Amino acid sequence: MTEVKAGVEYKINVGDKNFLLNEKKFNLLNNINITGSITKAAKLTKISYRTSLNYIEKIETSLEIAVVSTTKGGKGGGGSAKLTSEGRLILKECKKINAIMELHKEVNEIEAEVISVNKEKQVMTIEMKDLNMTIPLNEKYEVGDNILALISYDNIFIMLEEQKSSVRNILKGKIVEISLSGEMIRVKADVGGIYLYSNITRSAEENLKLRLGKEIYLGFKAVSIATLKL
C-alpha cells in the first residue's frame, strides 16, 4: 500500500482551497477507500472512531467539499462509506507526490524561493542563499512561494571546467567529502554554503582526479528537479 511518509505534511490543492494532509489522515482515507467502512478504516489506521470522524470533518470544512459519503445499514446495522470523487482526487495527488519521493530516495533537498516566472519560455527561477536555478514552470507556483527542490544524487554530474551544453544549471563548488557508496563514489560539494551530493563511478573519479578541496562544477538539467510547495 502506498503511504505518505511519517511526520510529513503535504499541501493538497482542490480548486482555490488547500489542506495539509499528514500520514494519519491519508491512511484513514486510503483505508476507507479499501474497506468501505469508517470503523474498519479507523482500526487499520490505529485511531479511534471519534478521531476518524474529526479528521474527516476537518478536511471537509477546510476544503468546503465532501470527501466521504456514508450510507446507513439495514436491519443488521453497520452501514458503509466510500470516498467521493474529490476524496479520490486527494488520494491521487498524495500518491503522485509519494511516487516522486520513492523514485528519488537519495535526493538533495534544497529550500528555495520562486523569484521569477517566465510563461513564454515555460521556466521559472528559484533562489537559495546567493544561488539561482532554472526549473520547469509550475503553473501552481507564484513569485514569492517557498518550495523544496529535490535533485537526485544520480542526476548531478561533475565537470572540472564550466562547459556550454543543454544543461541549464551549472554551479561552482568545492569537494568537502568523498566516500564509497555501494559500487559508486559519493562526492559532497560545498556550493555557496549549500551542500550537494553526486554519485559517480569509480572510473569517473579516477579520470577527474578528484580530491578533497578541489574546485569542480556540478551540472544538472532543469527537468531533473522535482519540487514540492512548502
Side-chain angles (χ1 to χ4, degrees):
M1 180 178 70
T2 304
E3 293 186 358
V4 171
K5 304 302 181 184
V8 176
E9 289 186 325
Y10 296 117
K11 182 178 286 187
I12 305 299
N13 296 292
V14 179
D16 60 348
K17 305 291 181 181
N18 61 70
F19 183 75
L20 292 176
L21 195 69
N22 61 19
E23 179 189 25
K24 290 287 187 181
K25 296 181 180 70
F26 170 77
N27 286 339
L28 174 65
L29 295 182
N30 202 30
N31 288 329
I32 289 174
N33 193 46
I34 293 170
T35 66
S37 165
I38 295 178
T39 301
K40 292 179 181 178
K43 289 181 179 179
L44 289 172
T45 310
K46 298 181 180 179
I47 58 176
S48 68
Y49 182 77
R50 182 182 295 275
T51 298
S52 68
L53 293 180
N54 185 45
Y55 282 172
I56 293 169
E57 182 181 3
K58 285 184 176 180
I59 296 173
E60 294 184 334
T61 300
S62 296
L63 299 180
E64 297 181 359
I65 57 174
V67 297
V68 177
S69 174
T70 60
T71 57
K72 294 182 179 180
K75 293 182 179 180
S80 63
K82 65 178 182 178
L83 297 184
T84 62
S85 58
E86 290 84 359
R88 291 193 296 273
L89 175 62
I90 291 173
L91 275 181
K92 179 181 177 181
E93 290 300 309
C94 245
K95 290 179 178 180
K96 282 165 59 179
I97 294 172
N98 199 63
I100 293 174
M101 299 298 289
E102 282 297 317
L103 182 62
H104 304 288
K105 289 184 178 179
E106 294 182 327
V107 295
N108 294 284
E109 298 183 8
I110 306 170
E111 291 190 19
E113 179 183 345
V114 179
I115 61 171
S116 71
V117 171
N118 189 323
K119 293 187 177 181
E120 182 179 351
K121 294 184 178 181
Q122 287 295 294
V123 296
M124 57 187 184
T125 303
I126 60 175
E127 180 181 62
M128 51 288 179
K129 293 192 176 181
D130 296 326
L131 299 175
N132 292 345
M133 291 194 302
T134 300
I135 65 176
L137 177 65
N138 186 319
E139 298 288 353
K140 296 180 180 179
Y141 296 165
E142 299 177 353
V143 172
D145 282 346
N146 293 315
I147 68 170
L148 185 66
L150 307 174
I151 314 170
S152 170
Y153 295 176
D154 296 333
N155 284 338
I156 295 180
F157 62 89
I158 295 175
M159 301 171 286
L160 298 182
E161 297 180 356
E162 188 174 6
Q163 302 173 1
K164 288 186 177 182
S165 69
S166 62
V167 175
R168 297 294 297 271
N169 298 290
I170 299 178
L171 307 175
K172 187 176 182 179
K174 180 181 293 185
I175 298 175
V176 295
E177 184 179 304
I178 299 175
S179 59
L180 183 63
S181 177
E183 296 299 317
M184 304 294 287
I185 299 296
R186 179 162 298 166
V187 178
K188 178 181 179 182
D190 182 347
V191 182
I194 295 174
Y195 294 111
L196 293 179
Y197 292 85
S198 173
N199 285 340
I200 62 174
T201 63
R202 296 189 186 190
S203 60
E205 181 206 17
E206 293 172 357
N207 291 336
L208 294 172
K209 295 181 173 58
L210 301 183
R211 64 180 185 278
L212 294 180
K214 188 166 188 173
E215 290 190 343
I216 57 173
Y217 289 89
L218 297 94
F220 45 92
K221 292 184 177 181
V223 294
S224 67
I225 306 173
T227 61
L228 298 174
K229 190 174 181 180
L230 296 176

